[in-house]
Amino acid sequence: MDKSHFNTFIFSNANKIYYYVFCILKNSDQTIQIVEKTFEECWNKRKELSHSDLTPVFKIARDLAKNEVHGKTVSTGNHNHNAEVNPVLVHFCKLLEELAPIQAEILCLRSLSRMSIDEISKIVGLGLNNVQSMLAEARKLVRAKVDPKGILKEFSCYELLTKYYAGNTSVEEEEQLRLYVSRMDLSEIPETDRELFLMFLKIGNSEIPITGSDNLRDKIKEIQTTKFQRVMAKIKKQSK
């Protein structure tokens, strides 16, 4: 993958990587640091990457984020760390707090990063059936948290919702649901499900915080500058 393809590939998917890492760390500053490291590692391995396959990129991001969690205390409570973060994303992460970490990861990869079951399976290292089962359970738990008094069989009024909560919908079918929620008459969809899908839409249409985005662009320039160029720039600066 050459420089041009790499930049297009990375920046067109930066939001997806950011959402996923943020769901693990719950801290925007640390998330940006991990995404920067992901970019750097991907650049070093660019000859091995395909511009049509995000799986290895997410595996790199996952390993780095997990090492961050295990290696040091991840700050989740400081408001200043998340001041610029889309509040809908912060709210989504709060809904995941009572889920097992692997369930939260799977739901984030599917709902926010829109990865297929097969891709998620490769990223988290679990079988397809396990991923599908955990996805279905996570969706039901989050729905119940949004509406603790709701009855889960409510969603049978809309055919795709039944499949959705069983973990059986394809990425394409879930896109249909997103479009339906965003554009169509919602009278036949329960209020809880409307709230959930509108939340996913608001997150999916949001950008990385401006400061973080600027840092990522600077990081790309840095890792793509040769050692010789860096030395010459340093000499030039010192000579002034």
Side-chain angles (χ1 to χ4, degrees):
M1 191 186 300
D2 61 24
K3 180 178 176 179
S4 176
H5 282 107
F6 178 86
N7 290 348
T8 301
F9 174 70
I10 284 296
F11 277 114
S12 64
N13 293 292
N15 285 351
K16 293 181 180 181
I17 302 166
Y18 175 85
Y19 299 149
Y20 174 52
V21 176
F22 186 86
C23 283
I24 296 174
L25 299 180
K26 316 291 193 303
N27 179 295
S28 187
D29 292 345
Q30 291 173 338
T31 294
I32 291 296
Q33 291 171 14
I34 293 302
V35 177
E36 286 179 355
K37 291 179 182 178
T38 300
F39 283 9
E40 184 168 8
E41 193 163 334
C42 287
W43 174 251
N44 293 335
K45 296 180 177 179
R46 63 190 181 280
K47 293 181 180 178
E48 305 168 21
L49 298 177
S50 165
H51 61 80
S52 61
D53 184 10
L54 269 175
T55 303
V57 178
F58 274 86
K59 288 179 74 173
I60 290 170
R62 183 177 196 261
D63 288 343
L64 290 169
K66 293 292 184 181
N67 288 339
E68 183 78 8
V69 171
H70 296 147
K72 60 180 74 171
T73 302
V74 176
S75 171
T76 59
N78 190 331
H79 175 73
N80 292 330
H81 285 301
N82 296 328
E84 296 183 355
V85 180
N86 180 359
V88 185
L89 176 58
V90 175
H91 175 61
F92 174 75
C93 288
K94 288 186 180 297
L95 292 175
L96 306 183
E97 286 177 348
E98 294 179 13
L99 272 61
I102 188 64
Q103 285 182 315
E105 272 191 74
I106 289 171
L107 186 59
C108 180
L109 283 167
R110 183 60 167 216
S111 298
L112 305 188
S113 301
R114 304 184 187 182
M115 308 296 283
S116 70
I117 296 295
D118 184 56
E119 289 170 326
I120 296 172
S121 173
K122 292 174 183 175
I123 293 166
V124 302
L126 293 175
L128 296 174
N129 290 339
N130 280 342
V131 169
Q132 186 172 323
S133 175
M134 288 185 182
L135 177 62
E137 182 65 19
R139 282 173 170 169
K140 291 174 183 176
L141 289 171
V142 169
R143 188 185 195 276
K145 196 166 183 179
V146 172
D147 179 20
K149 297 181 180 179
I151 301 172
L152 286 177
K153 65 181 181 181
E154 265 184 25
F155 55 67
S156 63
C157 70
Y158 190 64
E159 182 182 356
L160 274 183
L161 285 176
T162 306
K163 290 179 67 177
Y164 175 81
Y165 284 105
N168 292 329
T169 40
S170 65
V171 172
E172 291 75 19
E173 287 173 325
E174 288 166 27
E175 287 303 312
Q176 289 179 30
L177 280 171
R178 290 172 191 266
L179 288 172
Y180 188 87
V181 167
S182 65
R183 299 178 182 176
M184 306 295 286
D185 175 19
L186 303 179
S187 57
E188 62 180 274
I189 290 187
E191 184 177 349
T192 301
D193 301 303
R194 293 202 299 272
E195 182 176 344
L196 286 171
F197 275 94
L198 287 172
M199 176 175 67
F200 298 149
L201 283 167
K202 288 176 182 176
I203 297 172
N205 293 329
S206 67
E207 300 292 330
I208 295 173
I210 294 174
T211 302
S213 183
D214 291 342
N215 289 345
L216 293 177
R217 284 191 174 84
D218 291 342
K219 185 65 178 179
I220 286 289
K221 291 177 182 177
E222 176 191 329
I223 64 178
Q224 291 177 347
T225 302
T226 65
K227 184 177 181 181
F228 174 77
Q229 288 173 313
R230 288 196 293 270
V231 171
M232 291 303 295
K234 187 175 181 180
I235 293 172
K236 186 176 181 180
K237 185 177 181 180
Q238 289 175 343
S239 66
K240 290 182 178 181

